[in-house]
Amino acid sequence: MRILVGISGGIAAYKAITLVRRLRDAGVDVRVVLTEAAAQFVTPLSLQAVSGAPVRSSLFDAEAEAGMDHIALARWADQIIVAPASADVLARMANGMANDLLTTLILATEAPVTVAPAMNRHMWAHPAVQANLATLKARGVRVIGPASGVQACGEVGAGRMEEPEIIASALLAPPTAVRWQGRHVVITAGGTQEPIDPVRFIANRSSGKMGFALAAAAQATGAAVTLICGPNALATPAGVTRVDVHTALEMHAAVLGQDKMDVFIGAAAVADYRVAQPAPQKIKKTRDTDTLTLTLVKNPDIIHAVAQRSPKPFVVGFAAETEQLLQHARQKRITKGIDLICANRVDDNLAFDQPDNAVTAIWANGERAFARAEKAALATQLIELIDKVIEQD
Ligand code: C5P
């Protein structure tokens, strides 16, 4: 995916550096365009370093135009994000101005445009700004944020630029034709932590990225999405309700506590076993023993419990396997009562804690292999397949 990041002048411009990094982490090809005012807040050099490409700001840079002219740049982009979008750039966009490179590109592109406004709360509330925003929205420009909180000017209110992680996940979830308004999608993500004593636990290598990407993709359909996740450092996708848990038992309780579920996606790597009796105090090393034995007991199978519910939601599971991938996945689908399972090969460079993934989806009447792709793109394709399979049922 190719994203053009436009940065306009404002204190929040420093957050655009993190946005560019997050996009690059996800494998996105990024080009940065600064307005003249933005260059007062962040330097082209920093953005060149994080984006890995030359940064542009002038429409009249003969050398840059000789490389990729502004029309070529407008065609190059799959998406344009303006973050932060100042009151000034919103006004210029709303009026169709083309008095610098960024606004010219926005007029010349056919790619979807998103803005992440950032400004003082009074400016944000001003009818002129709100009217410009309404014009842009009516033209199909997507608006992310602003968030509320303490502002750089010391005031508290709406106008802070949305966090870069949230903007990145909204951009990475590609648009979808699936419409799930009125449905509730519950997704588990990440690994669980099973305590051994107050300072130690048993965990696994799951990062939660696939489940978070699925939550963003499900949210893009208009569904209400609840994301129940083990400990992780990921930002909650915009509009998603997040429930944090640690152990498999907590995840089990949180999932079964949801009253209405239309689709359940078990993307979490739930610990199969927990320590039977975690020690109340830190376990000490002793001189006379070289081994320590922990007794483990089986955790409840969350996905199996969901599949037994009546009415039964459409149940989607993952089978992360290191060998005999498809055989194990087909078997697991049947024994656990799963409607559609994603067989997920695990090795050092795939699946766990990676930005991309490759899966084979298996359901009662078919199988489909998805080529290796960024998790966000894969998540949207999976949601589209789930929608088709639900329609066939
Ligand atoms: O048996 P295995 O752990 O490989 O099954 C994987 C699938 O089952 C995943 O979808 C996972 O989220 C789900 N699972 C679960 N509860 C467990 C173990 C796995 O929901 N206790």
Side-chain angles (χ1 to χ4, degrees):
M1 194 191 295
R2 300 190 292 215
I3 299 185
L4 192 140
V5 178
I7 305 177
S8 64
I11 297 286
Y14 77 92
K15 288 196 200 170
I17 295 178
T18 311
L19 173 62
V20 171
R21 291 202 57 164
R22 294 290 93 87
L23 293 174
R24 296 262 293 157
D25 289 347
V28 176
D29 203 354
V30 178
R31 292 284 184 284
V32 176
V33 170
L34 297 176
T35 64
E36 206 181 319
Q40 301 293 322
F41 294 91
V42 279
T43 70
L45 202 59
S46 320
L47 285 150
Q48 179 172 320
V50 288
S51 69
V55 171
R56 293 197 53 186
S57 62
S58 170
L59 192 50
F60 308 109
D61 180 338
E63 204 178 309
E65 286 287 305
M68 177 153 32
D69 70 48
H70 61 278
I71 300 296
L73 195 54
R75 281 199 200 113
W76 170 90
D78 295 324
Q79 291 195 63
I80 296 186
I81 168 77
V82 184
S86 63
D88 178 69
V89 88
L90 291 174
R92 291 192 288 125
M93 285 171 68
N95 286 287
M97 290 178 71
N99 58 343
D100 65 1
L101 178 61
L102 181 59
T103 48
T104 304
L105 287 171
I106 289 169
L107 285 186
T109 195
E110 283 185 316
V113 177
T114 305
V115 293
M119 66 200 73
N120 164 275
R121 67 189 176 101
H122 294 298
M123 292 172 74
W124 173 246
H126 197 285
V129 172
Q130 290 303 317
N132 288 333
L133 209 73
T135 303
L136 292 172
K137 277 187 183 164
R139 275 189 213 136
V141 171
R142 178 158 62 147
V143 181
I144 301 178
S148 289
V150 182
Q151 302 201 290
C153 52
E155 295 186 14
V156 180
R160 283 166 60 93
M161 188 175 104
E162 191 49 276
E163 291 307 320
E165 288 76 11
I166 292 180
I167 300 173
S169 68
L171 296 175
L172 292 168
T176 176
V178 175
R179 286 284 150 257
W180 282 357
Q181 271 95 348
R183 298 199 196 173
H184 184 204
V185 180
V186 177
I187 301 176
T188 63
T192 58
Q193 290 182 352
E194 308 298 326
I196 297 170
D197 67 17
V199 296
R200 303 182 179 98
F201 52 76
I202 300 174
N204 61 64
R205 288 176 50 210
S206 170
S207 63
K209 286 178 189 161
M210 192 66 229
F212 274 61
L214 283 161
Q219 210 278 332
T221 69
V225 180
T226 305
L227 178 62
I228 300 171
C229 53
N232 67 81
L234 303 172
T236 315
V240 167
T241 305
R242 173 180 179 147
V243 180
D244 286 292
V245 297
H246 284 89
T247 65
L249 286 179
E250 287 169 9
M251 188 174 273
H252 182 258
V255 169
L256 296 184
Q258 303 291 321
D259 23 279
K260 174 188 169 277
M261 261 189 244
D262 298 293
V263 178
F264 175 76
I265 306 179
V270 186
D272 289 331
Y273 294 90
R274 67 180 179 276
V275 177
Q277 277 170 335
Q281 305 297 336
K282 187 179 166 195
I283 299 171
K284 305 300 289 179
K285 240 183 332 204
T286 55
R287 275 172 188 279
D288 41 336
T289 49
D290 284 341
T291 59
L292 171 72
T293 304
L294 294 172
T295 303
L296 304 180
V297 292
K298 223 182 210 159
N299 273 322
D301 199 296
I302 301 169
I303 207 161
H304 186 251
V306 171
Q308 305 305 308
R309 280 184 36 151
S310 173
K312 182 186 176 220
F314 187 85
V315 177
V316 180
F318 277 77
E321 305 288 347
T322 52
E323 44 148 18
Q324 297 190 311
L325 177 64
L326 295 181
Q327 293 90 315
H328 282 153
R330 288 184 193 121
Q331 186 64 39
K332 211 169 268 184
R333 192 185 80 78
I334 292 163
T335 52
K336 292 197 180 214
I338 293 172
D339 295 300
L340 182 146
I341 198 160
C342 300
N344 204 172
R345 189 166 57 80
V346 180
D347 67 31
D348 283 351
N349 297 311
L350 198 65
F352 276 35
D353 205 21
Q354 297 295 320
D356 52 6
N357 199 0
V359 302
T360 299
I362 302 167
W363 63 101
N365 301 315
E367 294 192 4
R368 180 167 154 198
F370 289 91
R372 188 169 182 158
E374 288 160 22
K375 285 179 175 171
L378 181 61
T380 300
Q381 295 179 57
L382 284 174
I383 294 290
E384 285 168 355
L385 176 64
I386 293 166
D387 187 57
K388 279 207 189 91
V389 176
I390 291 175
E391 291 300 308
Q392 285 164 10
D393 270 3

